[in-house]
Amino acid sequence: MSAAAVPLPPALAAMLALAAGTFLLRLSGPALRARITLPERAGKLLEVSAVLLLAALAATSALTEDHVFTGPARPLGVLTGGVLAWRRAPFLVVVLAAAGTTALLRLAGVP
């Protein structure tokens, strides 16, 4: 039996098709950048939408776990880290302060 006669499993074929599609989609950005110009307002809306999408993802991760509210300890830890990041604290300080705030609140009995 030759290598060409071996059937390609459907899952592998789907993965290869998705990989090729992703590559072509990413390649189209730089290729079309010079040809297509967006209005200034559309460019600003795209920038804002990316920030809002990341904020929504962070809020969902901070507030819920298994579709249930996590309690106030985790959101307060995230808020602490957010304030320190906004004040341009070093990344390690932001992460340790957020984790420490959450841990201390949970140690104090806050869910």
Side-chain angles (χ1 to χ4, degrees):
M1 187 185 242
S2 68
V6 176
L8 192 62
L12 182 59
M15 287 188 328
L16 291 174
L18 288 171
T22 301
F23 177 75
L24 290 173
L25 187 63
R26 293 185 61 103
L27 184 65
S28 69
L32 295 176
R33 179 91 170 138
R35 294 183 185 184
I36 297 174
T37 57
L38 293 175
E40 185 177 333
R41 179 172 162 82
K44 290 204 183 284
L45 286 174
L46 285 173
E47 289 176 15
V48 170
S49 66
V51 171
L52 287 176
L53 183 63
L54 287 173
L57 179 64
T60 303
S61 298
L63 297 175
T64 63
E65 185 173 323
D66 294 330
H67 305 292
V68 179
F69 179 63
T70 60
R74 187 187 297 175
L76 288 172
V78 171
L79 179 66
T80 302
V83 168
L84 288 173
W86 176 58
R87 302 288 296 164
R88 302 202 192 285
F91 181 71
L92 184 61
V93 172
V94 171
V95 171
L96 290 177
T101 300
T102 303
L104 288 174
L105 286 171
R106 288 193 175 156
L107 187 65
V110 177

